[in-house]
């Protein structure tokens, strides 16, 4: 079949393709669906192409009008579902209300909803005696609620808990205390910890290891800190085309803690749930304000939007146990009632000053004042030359260590203090160009070698033999024998040395993407936002700015024209999904089933 088939009137698709409104694969898909559907209806053909395009933009479905829904209903390739008709067929397309799906994405959403609803059950005869020891009453106001303690109560009393919160709200600290309480009840509890990337896994592992010492001595048990990537958790094989654990071969685990869940897409979330035993506890952690997953779906955001609410019976149990008077408005019944706990207090940032105030302003959509302070610096006018000087100065202390031939450990620790972030790979202010500029400053007018003492690299491909994962940071160094190797942090050995010849795919990372920075923290962060009129606008969103800003512990510098920064903040990366509807549909089906 030709790309533009006049028999089914595709000139309008050709125009969309030439205008970059759709891609070639979307045209091929629309042709295939038109052929299978035995239709030459221009409106339907356009709808098929738009569905394919929206999936490439990480939406899981396409919203259609009532008129289009009526047309789609008549096609043999479409199954229409409703609350009263849950029968699923093997048609390639599913119409649920006014949302049109590819069959597989509808199945993913349905499986997630079905699984989480089944796990949303209370655990009878829970023991809460350790809560007072782990969460002593030290609040300034006796009427305040310790939401970390509430989260712990939910984890002890329920099979499913979703803990959300911004940076510094104590998600990891709370998890350590929860694990201590659960292990106090059952020392043989089989626990697994996982995160989407190697960097996020390493950060959680380090945070747990550093938090264990603050536990009460009576509960200072062997808290596990071995955190795997979700791919390793599932036993990825054949470059992700197969997994050891799945719905027919479940993992041996009693509790799974899943961190940085905002980064987990619809498909991977489904795979994780399918691989868990039915009676496994599940704790999901994440910040729903951060950038969404790079693939289809926004699962954590959809879960968060269901809202934190409790049934009256469960809230009474919580009040009696913790001595709180929860707000009556929080009593509401929905499919994931009693599961979500949102941590509100940041222990890292002052919400009224600096980074904390900026992060809160971004979250709450408050207009920025562009006033510099000790933690936040706005650079509103810049060109590549002035930016080069500023970025090189930012790395000056690190470059001094390179020239002094500092050892690998010193270089690694120093490098982790600072990072430059950009949303773009190419262009004048993209990652590649800025990395070249920074590296060239080390060698002045000489050509920059591929490897040199102090070069910073980031692994871009998982290597399960070497246990190196996408996002891991390494520093090239010259050994005492004069051989160049790459050093990586290792929790057990301190430093792990990898020969250059064994390195998996990598890239220079003095400057890295905002997406790649998720799961990391740095003392100082610089964010470079180019004039955005030259680029696709959906790249620049409020979530991108929020994620970049909250990577900084002490100081953030934002290079951006005010109108560009405000334009970013005005655009949210909302993704269309039907996950909330799937929860309601599955919940209704379970309530009405005999």
């Amino acid at each position: 079949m030709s790309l533009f088939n006049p028999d089914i009137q595709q000139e309008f698709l050709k125009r969309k393709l030439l205008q970059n409104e759709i891609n070639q694969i979307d045209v091929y898909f629309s042709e295939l669906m038109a052929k299978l559907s035995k239709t030459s209806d221009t409106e339907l053909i356009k709808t098929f192409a738009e569905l394919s395009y929206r999936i490439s933009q990480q939406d899981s479905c396409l919203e259609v009008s009532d008129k289009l829904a009526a047309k789609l209903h008549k096609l043999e390739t479409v199954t229409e579902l409703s609350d009263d008709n849950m029968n699923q067929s093997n048609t390639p397309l599913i119409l649920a209300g006014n949302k049109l799906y590819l069959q597989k994405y509808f199945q993913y959403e349905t499986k997630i909803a079905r699984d989480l609803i089944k796990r949303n059950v209370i655990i009878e005869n829970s023991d809460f005696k350790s809560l007072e020891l782990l969460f002593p009453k030290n609040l300034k106001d006796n009427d305040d609620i310790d939401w970390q303690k509430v989260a712990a109560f939910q984890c002890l009393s329920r099979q499913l808990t979703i803990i959300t919160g911004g940076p510094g709200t104590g998600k990891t600290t709370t998890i350590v205390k929860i694990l201590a309480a659960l292990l106090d009840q059952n020392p043989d509890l089989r626990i697994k910890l996982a995160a989407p990337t190697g960097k996020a896994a390493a950060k959680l592992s380090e945070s747990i290891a550093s938090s264990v010492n603050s536990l009460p001595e009576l509960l200072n048990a062997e808290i596990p800190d071995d955190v795997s990537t979700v791919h390793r958790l599932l036993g990825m094989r054949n470059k992700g085309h197969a997994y050891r654990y799945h719905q027919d071969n479940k993992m041996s685990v009693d509790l799974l803690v899943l961190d940085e869940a905002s980064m987990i897409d619809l498909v991977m979330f489904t795979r994780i749930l399918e691989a868990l035993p039915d009676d496994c506890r599940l704790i999901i952690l994440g910040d729903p304000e951060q950038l969404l997953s790079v693939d289809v779906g926004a699962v954590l955001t959809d879960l968060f939007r269901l809202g934190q609410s409790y049934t009256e019976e469960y809230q009474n149990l919580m009040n009696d146990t913790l001595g709180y008077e929860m707000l009556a408005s929080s009593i509401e019944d929905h499919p994931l009632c009693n599961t979500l706990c949102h941590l509100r207090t940041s222990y890292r940032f002052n919400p009224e000053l600096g980074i904390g105030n900026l992060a809160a302003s971004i979250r709450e959509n408050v207009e920025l004042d562009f006033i510099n302070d000790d933690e936040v610096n706005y650079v509103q006018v810049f060109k590549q030359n002035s930016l080069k000087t500023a970025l090189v100065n930012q790395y000056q202390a690190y470059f001094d260590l390179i020239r002094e031939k500092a050892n690998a450990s010193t270089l690694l620790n120093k490098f982790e203090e600072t990072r430059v972030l950009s949303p773009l790979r190419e262009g004048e202010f993209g990652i590649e160009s800025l990395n070249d500029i920074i590296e060239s400053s080390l060698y002045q007018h000489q050509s920059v070698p591929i490897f040199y003492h102090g070069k910073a690299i980031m692994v871009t491909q998982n290597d399960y033999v070497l246990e190196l994962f996408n996002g891991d940071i390494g520093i090239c160094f010259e050994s005492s024998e004069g051989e160049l190797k790459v050093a990586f942090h290792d929790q057990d050995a301190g430093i792990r040395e990898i020969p250059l010849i064994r390195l998996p795919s990598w890239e220079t990372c003095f400057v890295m993407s905002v997406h790649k920075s998720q799961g990391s923290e740095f003392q100082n962060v610089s964010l470079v936002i180019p004039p955005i009129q030259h680029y696709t606008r959906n790249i620049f969103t409020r979530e991108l700015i929020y994620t970049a800003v909250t990577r900084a512990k002490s100081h953030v510098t934002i290079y951006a024209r005010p109108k560009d920064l405000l334009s970013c903040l005005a655009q949210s990366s909302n993704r269309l999904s039907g996950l909330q509807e799937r929860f309601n549909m599955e919940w209704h089906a379970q309530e009405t089933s005999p």
Side-chain angles (χ1 to χ4, degrees), residues 134-135 147-149 151-152 155 162-181 191 193-196 199-215 223-227 255 257-261 283-287 290 341-348 491 519-521 551 553:
L134 289 164
F135 299 91
W147 290 106
Q148 293 186 7
K149 191 173 183 179
C155 289
I162 303 163
I163 303 174
T164 61
T169 52
K171 295 188 292 293
T172 304
T173 302
T174 305
I175 280 297
V176 169
K177 293 180 179 181
I178 290 167
L179 294 179
I191 299 171
L193 311 167
K199 187 64 179 176
K203 177 173 168 284
L204 177 60
S205 179
E206 293 164 5
S207 298
I208 290 174
S210 63
S211 298
V212 166
N213 293 332
S214 63
L215 289 173
I223 306 296
D225 58 10
D226 179 18
V227 186
L255 166 64
V257 177
L258 193 58
D259 195 21
E260 296 288 354
I283 301 175
I284 300 170
L285 302 173
D287 184 352
Q290 287 190 30
C341 184
H342 184 61
L343 306 183
R344 295 149 168 82
T345 305
S346 176
Y347 299 94
R348 184 187 307 163
Q491 187 177 335
S520 301
E521 292 177 350
R551 297 312 90 205
K553 289 183 177 180

Side-chain angles (χ1 to χ4, degrees), residues 22-33:
I22 59 175
N23 303 313
Q24 284 188 347
I25 193 172
D26 307 322
V27 178
Y28 286 124
F29 177 78
S30 68
E31 285 190 331
L32 173 63
M33 290 310 305

Side-chain angles (χ1 to χ4, degrees), residues 29 112 158 198 217 223 237 244 258 284 286 322 325 358 380-381 392 426 431 441 571:
F29 177 78
I112 289 173
R158 305 200 70 82
E217 188 173 344
I223 306 296
R237 297 170 173 173
R244 178 182 179 185
L258 193 58
I284 300 170
L322 303 182
E325 286 298 327
L358 176 56
Q380 302 177 27
V381 180
V392 170
E426 300 175 349
I431 296 166
S441 69
Q571 179 164 305

Side-chain angles (χ1 to χ4, degrees), residues 46 278 285 348 352 360-361 453 457 490 594:
K46 177 183 176 182
D278 293 341
L285 302 173
R348 184 187 307 163
E352 298 178 359
S361 297
H453 185 79
I457 70 159
D490 185 278

Side-chain angles (χ1 to χ4, degrees), residues 392-504:
V392 170
N393 286 340
Q394 184 169 324
Y395 279 113
Q396 196 57 59
Y398 180 75
F399 291 163
D400 289 343
L401 290 176
I402 292 177
R403 296 185 182 98
E404 294 167 9
K405 293 290 185 180
N407 62 36
S409 178
T410 301
L411 290 172
L412 269 170
N413 292 331
K414 188 65 179 177
F415 183 70
E416 285 302 295
E417 293 179 4
T418 300
R419 197 69 86 250
V420 179
L421 306 178
S422 170
L424 301 171
R425 176 158 295 279
E426 300 175 349
E428 183 181 10
F429 299 106
I431 296 166
E432 294 175 358
S433 177
L434 295 179
N435 268 316
D436 289 343
I437 287 172
I438 291 173
E439 282 195 300
S440 65
S441 69
L442 272 170
Y443 284 84
Q444 302 301 329
H445 301 293
Q446 304 175 46
S447 60
V448 180
I450 296 176
F451 291 104
Y452 54 86
H453 185 79
K455 181 184 181 77
I457 70 159
M458 179 172 61
V459 174
T460 59
Q461 182 180 9
N462 294 335
D463 187 319
Y464 287 88
V465 176
L466 292 177
E467 293 191 338
L468 292 177
F469 304 101
N470 186 2
D472 284 354
I473 303 295
I475 299 296
C476 186
F477 72 101
E478 187 176 335
S479 68
S480 56
E481 296 81 20
E483 180 186 0
L484 284 174
K485 298 181 179 180
V486 178
F488 294 88
H489 275 303
D490 185 278
Q491 187 177 335
D492 298 321
I495 295 292
R496 204 149 49 98
E497 302 177 2
I498 305 295
L500 298 183
I501 196 170
R502 297 197 65 192
L503 274 181

Side-chain angles (χ1 to χ4, degrees), residues 249-274:
N249 183 35
K250 308 278 189 177
M251 288 184 281
S252 298
V253 58
D254 300 316
L255 166 64
L256 173 64
V257 177
L258 193 58
D259 195 21
E260 296 288 354
S262 64
M263 300 167 66
I264 303 177
D265 61 82
L266 195 64
V267 179
M268 184 54 69
F269 222 104
T270 306
R271 284 180 175 147
I272 293 169
L273 294 178
E274 286 181 335

Side-chain angles (χ1 to χ4, degrees), residues 208-352:
I208 290 174
S210 63
S211 298
V212 166
N213 293 332
S214 63
L215 289 173
E217 188 173 344
L218 290 175
L219 297 173
N220 196 347
E222 288 294 323
I223 306 296
D225 58 10
D226 179 18
V227 186
S228 70
T229 65
V230 292
H231 295 88
R232 185 156 64 94
L233 174 79
L234 295 175
M236 187 179 79
R237 297 170 173 173
N238 195 19
K239 297 183 178 180
H241 296 293
Y243 292 87
R244 178 182 179 185
Y245 299 110
H246 44 76
Q247 60 188 357
D248 297 320
N249 183 35
K250 308 278 189 177
M251 288 184 281
S252 298
V253 58
D254 300 316
L255 166 64
L256 173 64
V257 177
L258 193 58
D259 195 21
E260 296 288 354
S262 64
M263 300 167 66
I264 303 177
D265 61 82
L266 195 64
V267 179
M268 184 54 69
F269 222 104
T270 306
R271 284 180 175 147
I272 293 169
L273 294 178
E274 286 181 335
L276 292 181
D278 293 341
D279 59 351
C280 178
R281 293 179 188 247
L282 176 60
I283 301 175
I284 300 170
L285 302 173
D287 184 352
E289 303 290 342
Q290 287 190 30
L291 279 167
L292 306 180
S293 61
V294 296
D295 288 314
V296 172
V299 179
L300 182 67
T301 301
D302 286 332
L303 298 180
F304 180 71
R305 285 175 179 167
L306 284 169
Q308 179 172 346
S309 63
Y310 305 102
T311 60
E312 186 172 3
E313 180 183 6
Y314 188 67
Q315 189 172 103
N316 288 337
L317 173 64
M318 188 185 304
N319 292 345
D320 292 343
T321 305
L322 303 182
Y324 293 150
E325 286 298 327
M326 308 290 281
L327 297 176
S329 61
S330 66
I331 297 178
E332 183 185 343
D333 215 6
H334 66 64
L336 290 187
C337 203
N338 305 325
T339 63
L340 180 73
C341 184
H342 184 61
L343 306 183
R344 295 149 168 82
T345 305
S346 176
Y347 299 94
R348 184 187 307 163
F349 302 122
N350 184 333
E352 298 178 359

